[in-house]
Amino acid sequence: MRPLHRFVTLAAALGLSLGGALAPAAAATTPDAPRTRLDLVSEQAAIAPGGAVWLGIRQRIAPGWHTYWTNPGDSGEPLSMEWALPAGFRAEPIVWPHPERIPVGPAMSHGYTGEAVLLVRVTAPADAREGTTVTLGGRAALLVCEKICIPEEHEIAVTLPVRAGPAAPSREAPVIARARRAVPVASPWPATIAVSPDGVVLSLDARGLAANRVQDVWFYPTEWGLIEPSGRQEARVDARGITLSLARGALPDAGAGAVDGVLVMKERIEGQVVSQAFAVRAEPRAAVAGAPTVAGAVGLALLGGLILNLMPCVLPVLSVKALALLQHSDASPGAMRRHGLAHTAGVLACFAVLAGALLLLRAGGTGVGWGFQLQSPVMIAALAYLFFAMALALSGVLVLGGRLAGLGGTLAARPGYAGSFFTGALVAMAATPCTAPFMGVATGFALTQPPAVALAIFLALGAGLALPFLALSVAPGWRRHLPRPGPWMERLKQLLAFPLYATVAWLVWVASVEAGSAGAAALLAGLVLMAFAAWLHGVGRESRGRRRRLITATALVSAVAALALVPLTVGGPAPV
């Protein structure tokens, strides 16, 4: 906190306390007991060596009193935590839920009333001993105010067993889940800020937002000094987005760079008022003036798509491309070119579908961004199943019959150009969680443009992703450097399964973040059933008669059971 802010805070607290001492009514209500009850609660019933657990600093605040957010407003002091953890344990910074406005006379505070839970992620060392218990806790210091302000300190702790493997939810897990819903999510809208001696203007490019549903908009800056907490915030919501005119704060040197904060918006949806909180990073208006032209954005998207081939979430799936190239290495130059064009068409078709869905959702007022489909646990499960089936096929466990040209599940496993097409679509789908350099500017610009321009930019991104495969297919001279066909190709095929298994492991982790431990457990159970069905399928191919029919039926039941588990992967969300 800046020295000036600390001086204002202490002066306000002292003034309020002196006022309470001089006024008989206030003096009569000066409390002897703490005005807040603090507890430390855990989302999980145990912690694993090398694992992590989400804790909640739960504040239950007396009626009429309030505590403070990280930027407390005109006066106040946020909660601070002095941790006393066992050796090797580490607490990450506090994750703050969005605040509310609390008027105190002519001043305005940013804080919490009733109940508030601050989230903290604690990690355990890899050498934590199983079978022991650990006490996680420390001393919390906070300021609680009504007509007077009282500093309080609380010793809080929670004791957990150290146990390997997934831990069951604790009884307090619903408390963490409620707190998680109050944590701001990343804003889907580009934001700019213009600072002048007369005021501050914050603009969000929220085109497609249903302006008639918006009831209230308020911006809470993370840092004190640029914006006056007690000043009016005049909001305009129209077809171009959200514009907030804000009163200038007390520090003349504030606002030289990007400004971070939380935008809380209340919308009336189906007769109910729903609050949403977005973490906003507003770039200075002068910096955004150099935004790309349409041609520049297309060029950046093409370059970003090319670099996507080197991103961690795409590299494992490059095994699909590598095997497809090897399997077509003995084809004629014309056939190679057609395979390259089919692969490129698959990439572009997938990008067109994803971009169209994204633009339609944003036009309907839904805040989504690049890679939005991986916010769906069901989509995550579907991709995990698909990649797992591909990996089993490469390992030789799942025999689909015929050539595995192109590979990519039962669709991309089809021979001929259809396999190349669906391989391209699969690679494009796998690339969407990644962000390459130059992508942010291009996609952000695309989402502010008319649909035709936006679609052209997304297609340029897909063209960059497909370019290396296309270049190899039209210039087949690289085939001269390959060794003669032999057993090495089968060994290479088996080796390339392991990057795909790694991709599945990553998707299970994504599922645990999106849907919690229950959703991840359902996904893992489905993968086990898939592996069992694939093994039975192989056994059945070597059997005959009634035995074969029985094995095939059992494999089919296992596959159906795996699909039936997909809805269970929704689980409950986890903090991020």
Side-chain angles (χ1 to χ4, degrees):
M1 185 177 293
R2 297 173 184 263
L4 178 59
H5 191 191
R6 185 174 294 278
F7 173 79
V8 172
T9 297
L10 294 177
L14 179 61
L16 289 173
S17 299
L18 287 175
L22 294 174
T29 60
T30 301
D32 297 322
R35 295 290 89 188
T36 59
R37 176 181 170 186
L38 260 66
D39 302 288
L40 194 62
V41 298
S42 171
E43 184 179 39
Q44 298 168 199
I47 187 169
V53 63
W54 281 93
L55 304 180
I57 304 172
R58 186 181 188 183
Q59 308 175 47
R60 281 175 278 193
I61 307 162
W65 295 74
H66 61 269
T67 60
Y68 292 95
W69 186 51
T70 179
N71 172 8
D74 278 321
S75 66
E77 192 79 33
L79 179 144
S80 62
M81 190 73 190
E82 183 179 344
W83 291 98
L85 300 175
F89 284 75
R90 185 172 61 87
E92 296 179 359
I94 292 174
V95 177
W96 298 82
H98 72 80
E100 59 183 291
R101 305 194 297 272
I102 305 172
V104 183
M108 180 68 73
S109 295
H110 304 154
Y112 309 104
T113 59
E115 179 174 315
V117 180
L118 314 183
L119 300 178
V120 179
R121 188 173 184 263
V122 175
T123 56
D127 59 356
R129 287 197 308 159
E130 289 189 57
T132 62
T133 59
V134 292
T135 299
L136 310 176
R139 175 175 296 178
L142 71 162
L143 194 67
V144 56
C145 296
E146 189 220 26
K147 294 184 176 64
I148 61 172
C149 290
I150 300 172
E152 292 184 359
E153 290 189 354
H154 298 260
E155 295 286 345
I156 55 176
V158 62
T159 300
L160 298 174
V162 178
R163 188 166 57 239
S170 70
R171 289 182 301 175
E172 290 80 18
V175 175
I176 303 290
R178 287 196 300 271
R180 184 178 302 126
R181 290 192 288 270
V183 173
V185 300
S187 171
W189 308 305
T192 61
I193 196 161
V195 180
S196 70
D198 299 325
V200 178
V201 176
L202 174 69
S203 302
L204 292 96
D205 193 338
R207 301 184 191 190
L209 183 67
N212 59 325
R213 296 196 321 219
V214 177
Q215 304 291 303
D216 183 54
V217 180
W218 198 269
F219 180 71
Y220 301 86
T222 304
E223 297 290 335
W224 183 84
L226 173 64
I227 296 169
E228 177 61 41
S230 57
R232 292 186 61 190
Q233 295 196 9
E234 298 178 358
R236 185 178 76 248
V237 183
D238 54 27
R240 292 175 296 179
I242 301 172
T243 303
L244 280 168
S245 299
L246 314 170
R248 187 69 190 271
L251 293 184
D253 60 340
V259 176
D260 295 315
V262 172
L263 184 83
V264 178
M265 182 173 65
K266 295 182 179 179
E267 288 185 278
R268 182 172 293 278
I269 301 175
E270 297 180 356
Q272 294 185 338
V273 177
V274 178
S275 293
Q276 299 181 77
F278 301 96
V280 172
R281 182 173 182 83
E283 298 292 342
R285 183 71 56 80
V288 179
T293 62
V294 172
V298 168
L300 290 175
L302 186 69
L303 187 56
L306 187 63
I307 297 175
L308 265 181
N309 285 277
L310 304 177
M311 294 294 104
C313 58
V314 177
L315 276 174
V317 192
L318 288 180
S319 60
V320 175
K321 289 186 176 184
L323 192 59
L325 285 170
L326 289 174
Q327 291 184 334
H328 296 313
S329 62
D330 58 348
S332 66
M336 284 288 290
R337 285 193 293 272
R338 288 189 289 273
H339 278 292
L341 291 172
H343 176 272
T344 302
V347 173
L348 295 179
C350 186
F351 267 77
V353 171
L354 290 174
L358 189 152
L359 294 172
L360 285 174
L361 288 171
R362 289 178 66 89
T366 303
V368 294
W370 176 248
F372 67 95
Q373 71 280 5
L374 284 196
Q375 297 172 8
S376 165
V378 173
M379 178 60 72
I380 294 169
L383 286 175
Y385 280 12
L386 176 60
F387 288 140
F388 193 55
M390 292 165 52
L392 291 174
L394 286 173
S395 298
V397 177
L398 179 61
V399 181
L400 297 175
R403 297 195 309 156
L404 296 180
L407 207 63
T410 55
L411 288 176
R414 295 173 60 185
Y417 304 120
S420 294
F421 178 89
F422 286 112
T423 298
L426 178 65
V427 171
M429 182 66 72
T432 54
C434 284
T435 301
F438 314 113
M439 268 186 62
V441 175
T443 57
F445 179 78
L447 294 174
T448 66
Q449 301 303 304
V453 175
L455 185 60
I457 293 172
F458 280 109
L459 289 178
L461 187 62
L465 179 63
L467 189 58
F469 189 97
L470 182 62
L472 290 174
S473 68
V474 299
W478 57 271
R479 291 183 290 178
R480 294 195 300 268
H481 304 289
L482 288 177
R484 292 179 181 275
W488 69 269
M489 294 189 70
E490 182 65 23
R491 293 289 179 264
L492 177 62
K493 185 182 80 168
Q494 295 170 358
L495 178 64
L496 291 178
F498 289 95
L500 292 175
Y501 287 127
T503 303
V504 174
W506 174 75
L507 286 168
V508 171
W509 175 81
V510 174
S512 71
V513 174
E514 291 288 338
S517 57
L523 178 54
L524 287 170
L527 294 174
V528 171
L529 287 170
M530 278 190 64
F532 183 58
W535 176 75
L536 286 175
H537 176 67
V539 172
R541 288 171 61 88
E542 301 171 358
S543 304
R544 294 290 182 271
R546 183 177 179 183
R547 176 184 173 89
R548 179 172 185 173
R549 290 193 295 271
L550 179 61
I551 292 174
T552 301
T554 306
L556 182 60
V557 169
S558 297
V560 171
L563 294 175
L565 285 173
V566 170
L568 299 182
T569 61
V570 173
V576 294

